[in-house]
Amino acid sequence: MYNLLGPMRIIEAASFVAAPSAGLYLAQMGADVVRVDQVGGGPDFNRWPLADNGASFYWEGLNKGKRSVSLDLGKPEGRELLAELATAAGDDGGHFLTNFPVSGFLGHEKLAQRRADLITVRVMGMADGGPALDYTVNFALGFPDVTGPGPEPVNHVLPAWDLVTGAYAAFAMVAAARHRAATGEGGEVRIPLSDVGIATVGNLGMLAEVQFGGDRPRYGNDVYGVFGRDFTTRDCERLMIMAITPRQWSGLLEVLGLSEAVAAIEAAISVSFARDEGMRFRYREMLVPLVAEAVSRRDRADLAAAFDAAGCCWGPYQTMSQAIRDPALVAANPVFAPIEQLSGFTYPVPGAFATLPGQDRGAPVRAPRLGEHNEEVLAEVMGLGSGTIGQLHDKGIVG
Amino acid sequence: MYNLLGPMRIIEAASFVAAPSAGLYLAQMGADVVRVDQVGGGPDFNRWPLADNGASFYWEGLNKGKRSVSLDLGKPEGRELLAELATAAGDDGGHFLTNFPVSGFLGHEKLAQRRADLITVRVMGMADGGPALDYTVNFALGFPDVTGPGPEPVNHVLPAWDLVTGAYAAFAMVAAARHRAATGEGGEVRIPLSDVGIATVGNLGMLAEVQFGGDRPRYGNDVYGVFGRDFTTRDCERLMIMAITPRQWSGLLEVLGLSEAVAAIEAAISVSFARDEGMRFRYREMLVPLVAEAVSRRDRADLAAAFDAAGCCWGPYQTMSQAIRDPALVAANPVFAPIEQLSGFTYPVPGAFATLPGQDRGAPVRAPRLGEHNEEVLAEVMGLGSGTIGQLHDKGIVG
């Protein structure tokens, strides 16, 4: 873990991908993230993928380096403890990350009665509080309609909206903390998946595109607006090859020996593929067969070396098992270190996405056992004595 | 724009989606983001989608509310000006966001000779500095291998890795600024797309899943590990229906009149779908036909009302043109406001993803004309007089 954020303490009461990934990113940058769950585990505690001993690889992946407190949130005393933790005094505290409903016992207005400068970052499904998950949001946005070969809609497997929302929630938390440091004001930040989704459609220019031009057709693996798609080599390897910048384009043509052929096409139809990457897309039916033929006559190893030397942009098609065995991605990548995770399995575990040159990244820290830090956190944050904590334990409030 | 971050000034020298989207998120939270481009436009200035007058909806979508400076970065004087802007004195400045190469004139070590506490957030392709784009990274990670109906790999259309990287870069910038405020230390934060990708595979538990269990098969639109997929109503509407929480599951069965039938299956095979959402996935071949039959006997409007009343999680399948005409998503959504954009077209434009209750969101601000703020920024940040700026103009250094 890097230490950009210590000693900021985050109380996280959330599940699934979006909010817990925000907590993960904050923890990996040095925040003290205390995840509070229902005794016995929240709704994502057993989520697949599972190890063969039943432990959730998913849960342990998203909760690395956090502390864990488990409370019976079905009981008033358990809810009270969570509210107290979220609003504990001090500059370090008062940062609350949640995906509980606006209207419940973790509503910001209610909590702010305990601590006026509380910061609440709340991940939501729909902006009106209605339920939504990554896959329902994506299905409603139109991306499945333009993904894949057609005619059926293809939903994504990667929970992209959860992940964008998670990273944005981490950003929002630190931005709100900066504002509080400057002004003394806290407040609530609500981040609905549905708004992240539709606003991204706007940010990428697709709202205007569709409003003024109608729906985009499916282009399969052709990347819209540039030159890019998958091609197959002589030794039957599939490569994703792209060219956006002028250098990538000229490098590609040079490696494939197509510079003259393409120049002749440019002359014939009076366009410059070098200057205008959009023309490479518009006239892809002329360009793709040329590139496909040239790639099909070479082996992957030969092409890879030539592409790299020429600064071309390409990537292999890999299964995930190939990807995780790619040394550049995992074994030789300083982002990863093998540790024994909570499940008892030892495997390479990533730290922060970012690398801070010259700073010690440290080893990743395993996910906590559920409730592992009950006593430690209740004593440290709320000043409870061991007798009181023991009583809460006996009553099943702390699990 | 909200104002959590003012008066933080960010100098952005970047193109495409990842880094410019980070600048956008920072601007939408109140930072003064100055985008510096090559005179005439950087490599993404004309990127598709385009308006019929040739303006890029893409460029104007990602650069809303920023200021624009255009310099001839092919000339030493232009490079010098950019380096000076990035490292200008004062607490507000010294925040540099870029995707230029580590080894070029915008290398952090070189810039830090001008300002020791400079913060550089650098978005990269591969961690070793090699070129990579969202679609090549995704192709190498294994997601296309498990997306869609098969057998061909299906690359995504949404540039998910760019977007996650962008939101994370915004987070990293504010985190590094917090660290500088506390310690006086700046530094570089490198965020390669490839690391964001493979570390996410780890965070989601998929690295362990694949390492110990092998590649996941394709499941089409079935969501792994829970109950979720698309179904078609009597009136031929396609809905994405999911059930992760116990409430979503019991609500679904109730609305569809399947509680007894499912209880009988549970008894027959001795599992509890209510308690264990993974079993809903394992035994989906028993459950999906039941749900499909029940959904096929009802109309969408009827089901939608019943699902909403029961707290079920569902979403419609929409094309993007349907999505942008959905009032809840755009017209009646306070995140959006119609403004005249740089292109001259007026359409609904999104502000920040987040909503801060009780704070004024303000209207979105259009993207700048290229170089619109040359004089303003050079005068304000670098103290240059109008005579000097005029000379730079005449020499073509400022465009």
Side-chain angles (χ1 to χ4, degrees):
Chain A
M1 297 189 182
Y2 289 115
N3 188 18
L4 295 183
L5 294 177
M8 176 186 238
R9 189 179 58 246
I10 316 276
I11 302 295
E12 175 190 314
S15 47
F16 306 122
V17 177
S21 67
L24 177 66
Y25 305 149
L26 290 158
Q28 288 169 331
M29 286 297 183
D32 170 22
V33 178
V34 177
R35 174 162 169 153
V36 181
D37 281 287
Q38 175 63 31
V39 172
D44 60 347
F45 188 59
N46 297 306
R47 190 157 174 199
W48 288 29
L50 305 180
D52 58 14
N53 65 10
S56 171
F57 287 140
Y58 167 96
W59 198 88
E60 73 182 18
L62 285 163
N63 294 300
K64 297 182 291 278
K66 300 179 186 174
R67 296 201 283 177
S68 170
V69 167
S70 57
L71 304 173
D72 186 348
L73 302 174
K75 295 201 177 119
E77 300 98 313
R79 294 171 177 233
E80 175 67 20
L81 283 173
L82 173 49
E84 285 292 321
L85 280 173
T87 59
D91 283 350
D92 300 351
H95 309 102
F96 184 46
L97 172 64
T98 189
N99 66 351
F100 275 63
V102 170
S103 56
F105 75 106
L106 296 175
H108 180 79
E109 294 305 311
K110 236 173 276 174
L111 292 176
Q113 288 168 7
R114 300 171 189 249
R115 176 173 177 151
D117 70 349
L118 175 70
I119 294 167
T120 300
V121 172
R122 187 182 311 274
V123 170
M124 303 171 67
M126 303 299 288
D128 67 2
L133 293 163
D134 181 287
Y135 304 100
T136 62
V137 166
N138 194 52
F139 216 57
L141 286 175
F143 287 99
D145 184 52
V146 293
T147 301
E152 298 295 303
V154 173
N155 217 336
H156 57 201
V157 170
L158 180 77
W161 302 115
D162 277 340
L163 294 166
V164 178
T165 302
Y168 191 88
F171 159 60
M173 180 65 81
V174 187
R178 180 181 169 96
H179 183 67
R180 184 171 79 185
T183 65
E185 288 170 19
E188 182 178 11
V189 182
R190 296 181 182 172
I191 312 175
L193 286 183
S194 59
D195 281 346
V196 171
I198 191 68
T200 296
V201 169
N203 292 343
L204 295 174
M206 298 178 85
L207 190 151
E209 174 193 1
V210 168
Q211 176 161 331
F212 301 113
D215 277 309
R216 187 184 287 190
R218 287 171 190 280
Y219 295 119
N221 287 348
D222 278 305
V223 180
Y224 178 77
V226 297
F227 186 83
R229 61 159 298 141
D230 52 321
F231 295 93
T232 305
T233 63
R234 182 169 57 186
D235 48 347
C236 297
E237 295 277 338
R238 204 188 282 254
L239 310 181
M240 185 78 195
I241 299 175
M242 296 192 64
I244 299 196
T245 66
R247 184 177 173 217
Q248 287 164 0
W249 179 244
S250 64
L252 179 66
L253 298 183
E254 218 167 282
V255 167
L256 297 179
L258 295 175
S259 305
E260 284 182 31
V262 168
I265 295 175
E266 286 178 306
I269 61 174
S270 302
V271 298
S272 167
F273 297 128
R275 270 205 312 278
D276 186 342
E277 78 275 8
M279 291 302 107
R280 298 173 212 155
F281 180 72
R282 175 162 294 159
Y283 295 103
R284 67 192 180 285
E285 289 180 8
M286 302 178 187
L287 299 172
V288 165
L290 274 177
V291 172
E293 179 64 26
V295 170
S296 75
R297 296 176 183 211
R298 307 267 291 267
D299 288 342
R300 170 182 163 164
D302 161 34
L303 273 176
F307 282 159
D308 288 345
C312 296
C313 185
W314 71 283
Y317 167 60
Q318 299 187 139
T319 63
M320 199 167 283
S321 61
Q322 290 175 309
I324 69 168
R325 283 169 180 79
D326 180 338
L329 289 176
V330 180
N333 185 348
V335 168
F336 283 83
I339 63 166
E340 183 178 335
Q341 254 282 33
L342 179 63
S343 56
F345 287 77
T346 297
Y347 56 93
V349 166
F353 295 156
T355 292
L356 281 57
Q359 292 210 33
D360 184 16
R361 158 183 286 283
V365 176
R366 69 160 171 81
R369 283 194 318 279
L370 195 69
E372 180 171 348
H373 306 93
N374 283 343
E375 300 202 15
E376 182 181 302
V377 170
L378 293 176
E380 192 183 300
V381 179
M382 296 176 55
L384 298 189
S386 58
T388 312
I389 297 174
Q391 286 169 358
L392 290 166
H393 234 292
D394 295 344
K395 288 202 279 180
I397 310 290
V398 173
Chain B
M1 295 190 186
Y2 290 114
N3 187 16
L4 296 183
L5 294 177
M8 177 185 236
R9 188 178 60 246
I10 314 276
I11 302 295
E12 175 190 314
S15 47
F16 306 120
V17 176
S21 68
L24 177 66
Y25 306 148
L26 290 158
Q28 288 169 331
M29 285 297 182
D32 170 22
V33 178
V34 178
R35 174 162 168 152
V36 181
D37 280 287
Q38 175 63 30
V39 172
D44 60 347
F45 188 58
N46 296 307
R47 190 157 175 200
W48 289 29
L50 304 180
D52 58 14
N53 65 9
S56 169
F57 287 139
Y58 167 95
W59 198 88
E60 74 183 17
L62 284 164
N63 295 300
K64 296 183 292 278
K66 300 179 187 176
R67 298 200 282 178
S68 171
V69 167
S70 56
L71 303 174
D72 186 349
L73 302 175
K75 294 200 177 119
E77 300 97 313
R79 294 172 177 232
E80 174 68 19
L81 283 173
L82 173 49
E84 285 293 323
L85 279 174
T87 58
D91 284 349
D92 300 352
H95 309 103
F96 183 47
L97 172 64
T98 189
N99 65 351
F100 275 63
V102 170
S103 55
F105 75 104
L106 296 175
H108 179 79
E109 294 304 312
K110 237 173 273 176
L111 292 176
Q113 289 168 7
R114 299 169 189 252
R115 176 172 178 152
D117 68 350
L118 175 69
I119 294 166
T120 300
V121 171
R122 187 181 312 274
V123 169
M124 303 170 66
M126 302 300 287
D128 66 3
L133 293 163
D134 181 288
Y135 305 100
T136 62
V137 166
N138 195 53
F139 216 58
L141 286 175
F143 286 100
D145 182 53
V146 293
T147 301
E152 297 297 302
V154 173
N155 217 335
H156 58 202
V157 171
L158 179 78
W161 301 116
D162 278 340
L163 294 166
V164 178
T165 302
Y168 191 88
F171 158 61
M173 181 64 83
V174 187
R178 179 182 171 94
H179 183 67
R180 184 171 79 186
T183 65
E185 288 171 18
E188 182 178 13
V189 182
R190 296 180 182 174
I191 312 175
L193 287 183
S194 59
D195 281 346
V196 171
I198 191 69
T200 296
V201 170
N203 292 343
L204 295 174
M206 297 178 86
L207 189 152
E209 174 194 359
V210 168
Q211 175 161 331
F212 300 115
D215 277 309
R216 188 184 287 189
R218 286 172 190 279
Y219 295 119
N221 287 349
D222 278 304
V223 181
Y224 178 76
V226 297
F227 186 83
R229 61 159 299 140
D230 52 321
F231 295 93
T232 305
T233 64
R234 183 168 57 187
D235 50 346
C236 298
E237 295 276 339
R238 203 187 283 252
L239 311 180
M240 185 78 194
I241 299 176
M242 295 191 65
I244 299 198
T245 66
R247 185 179 172 213
Q248 288 164 358
W249 179 243
S250 63
L252 179 66
L253 299 184
E254 219 167 281
V255 167
L256 297 179
L258 294 175
S259 305
E260 283 181 33
V262 168
I265 295 175
E266 286 179 305
I269 62 174
S270 303
V271 299
S272 167
F273 297 128
R275 271 204 312 276
D276 186 344
E277 79 275 7
M279 292 302 106
R280 299 173 212 154
F281 180 73
R282 175 161 293 160
Y283 294 103
R284 67 193 181 283
E285 288 181 7
M286 302 179 188
L287 298 171
V288 165
L290 274 176
V291 171
E293 179 64 26
V295 170
S296 76
R297 295 176 183 210
R298 308 269 291 267
D299 287 343
R300 171 181 163 162
D302 161 33
L303 272 177
F307 282 158
D308 287 346
C312 296
C313 184
W314 72 281
Y317 167 60
Q318 298 185 141
T319 62
M320 199 168 283
S321 62
Q322 289 175 308
I324 70 169
R325 282 167 182 81
D326 180 339
L329 288 176
V330 180
N333 185 350
V335 168
F336 282 83
I339 65 167
E340 183 178 336
Q341 254 282 34
L342 179 63
S343 55
F345 287 78
T346 297
Y347 56 93
V349 166
F353 294 156
T355 292
L356 281 55
Q359 293 209 34
D360 185 16
R361 158 182 286 284
V365 176
R366 70 160 171 79
R369 284 194 319 281
L370 196 68
E372 180 170 348
H373 305 93
N374 283 343
E375 301 203 16
E376 183 180 302
V377 169
L378 292 176
E380 194 183 298
V381 178
M382 295 176 55
L384 299 189
S386 57
T388 312
I389 296 174
Q391 287 169 359
L392 289 167
H393 233 292
D394 295 343
K395 287 202 279 181
I397 310 287
V398 172

